[in-house]
Amino acid sequence: MHVATDQHGALDALDDPYADFDAGEHFAGSVAGDVRDPYPGLARKRRETPVERRQDSLYEGITRDAYWVYRYEDVNRVFRENEVFSSHSIRDLMGLVMGPYVIVGLDEPEHKRHRNLVAQAFRQRSLQRWEESLVQVVIDQLVDRFASRGSAELVRELTYRMPIQVIAEILGLPRDDHTKFHHWAIALINVAADPETGLAASEDLRVYFAQISDQRRADPRDDVISDLVHAELDGEKLDEDEILSFLRLLLPAGAETTYRATGNFLYGLLTHPEQFQALRDDRSLMTQAIEESVRWESPLLITSRRALTEVDVAGVAIPAGAEIVNSVGAANHDETRWEHPDEFDIFREQIPHISFGAGPHMCLGMHLARMEMRLTVERLMDRLPDLRLDPEQVAAKDSHIHGETFRSPTSLPVLFDPV
Ligand code: HEM
């Protein structure tokens, strides 16, 4: 770790928690899964075994028996029919790290009550304010660090750092705490690769967030933690455990996914220079370009459910109590909905994809994620108009999108005219 000594604001007075970061290490042997291109295999599954019983090895010696669902129509159904497909399987997986009230693992009626309360902190008004005063500032400060150099590695220097900093800011964490927050956040996100450090970080974060929540109860500010502790609906409030679970979920749910999605978007544009140029020439293409990138390379490929009763999906009887893996990645490449689904094409007809889920648990942060992706690309286009891949470094590092559970570029070496 080194102490940055330049004077660019947020992270610069801090010990850099990313100094040793190597995105490549995030795949081999980690939760992301060491697979280069899962899509041909997923296409075969959609055709031959649209619902498949599999024994997956989770860790050494531990296996899990689950029914995998691959086609868009069925994946969409599993998300929406929450009275049959319970989210408790996620609570059982994540509860140890996030706490028992993790929203994404709750069923009705607890889920609805919890969601209505936390949604108060993510309303449209906040989003508009965050855009200029916060997200753009974070991105600009990161770009400032390499703009005069003429080259950069955008995963390590931009996409990996940006969403955690955005979350620290919207939560209203004191600047002096940002470094330790970033260290804990990275450890929590990497819990599957290093459980001991991840669990310790989860406990540190619980204690830390409990202190800040107490402070915000007594002395509210204009930030998400203040909104969460004061949110009220029909006389009900979130209790302490619910707030602490939610705050810890925001790191994997909000930072990990957005970092990967922003990298995938940049990778799509940089490897398709004619589409990148079309976007530079006509920024009204931005919305469809973001949706296409999230469909084409979803940052998160699977999520899980548990069958509450015996249920028939695509002609396969899934018994009550069975675990289900909903393959978002396979659904997004379903050839019955998209022609040449494995191709990145920002001009294709826009129809809904399923990267943000569907039904009652549909992503609560999708507007924030889209805004972070848009601003990253907009600020790069504004400030580094000739941004392009560095072919030598791409070849030397074998830069490509990687992963089976989570997907993102292993690196993004770029060149540009220094400014
Ligand atoms: C491109 C980035 C993102 C992707 C692909 C993504 C994807 C998803 C998906 C698929 C779900 C549903 C999971 C399920 O039903 O099993 C979900 C839920 C959720 N996401 Fe996101 N997400 C992203 C960014 C964010 C951000 C930035 C935040 C917040 C800062 C966030 C917060 C949440 C929360 C709180 C839930 C749970 C909602 C509930 O259970 O009611 N996500 N996300």
Side-chain angles (χ1 to χ4, degrees), residues 12 16 43 52 58 84 101 129-130 164-165 168 181 188 202 259 293 295 319 341 350 352 354 361 368 370 379 390:
D12 291 335
D16 184 353
E52 179 191 35
L58 296 178
V84 179
Y101 299 101
R129 218 183 43 222
W130 294 337
I164 297 186
Q165 283 201 46
F181 175 72
L188 182 73
S202 164
Y259 129 63
S293 91
R295 176 203 71 78
Q350 292 297 301
I354 203 145
H361 286 275
L368 174 61
R370 287 170 170 136
R379 294 308 293 148
D390 175 345

Side-chain angles (χ1 to χ4, degrees), residues 190-204:
N190 292 326
V191 64
D194 181 354
E196 201 179 316
T197 314
L199 286 172
S202 164
E203 178 56 18
D204 288 338

Side-chain angles (χ1 to χ4, degrees), residues 112-113 116-117 120 231-237:
K112 192 163 192 221
R113 173 190 155 271
N116 286 338
L117 284 162
Q120 296 182 22
E232 198 171 325
L233 200 71
D234 303 329
E236 281 203 68
K237 297 176 98 168

Side-chain angles (χ1 to χ4, degrees), residues 79 90 103-104 111 115 122 246 249-250 253-254 257-258 261 299-300 303 305 355-357 360-365 368-369 372:
F79 273 131
I90 302 183
I103 181 173
V104 74
H111 169 258
R115 180 154 172 139
F122 282 83
F246 184 73
L249 173 72
L250 279 186
T257 48
T258 308
L300 170 70
T303 170
R305 294 291 189 267
S355 296
F356 291 113
H361 286 275
M362 189 164 185
C363 181
L364 198 61
L368 174 61
E372 291 177 79

Side-chain angles (χ1 to χ4, degrees), residues 95 128 143 152 209 235 326:
Q128 281 161 3
V143 176
F209 281 142
N326 221 15

Side-chain angles (χ1 to χ4, degrees), residues 146-151 383-386 388 415-419:
F146 57 75
S148 62
R149 203 194 301 145
S151 66
R383 299 190 56 184
L384 311 173
D386 62 341
R388 59 201 183 273
L415 297 171
F416 45 86
D417 281 345
V419 285

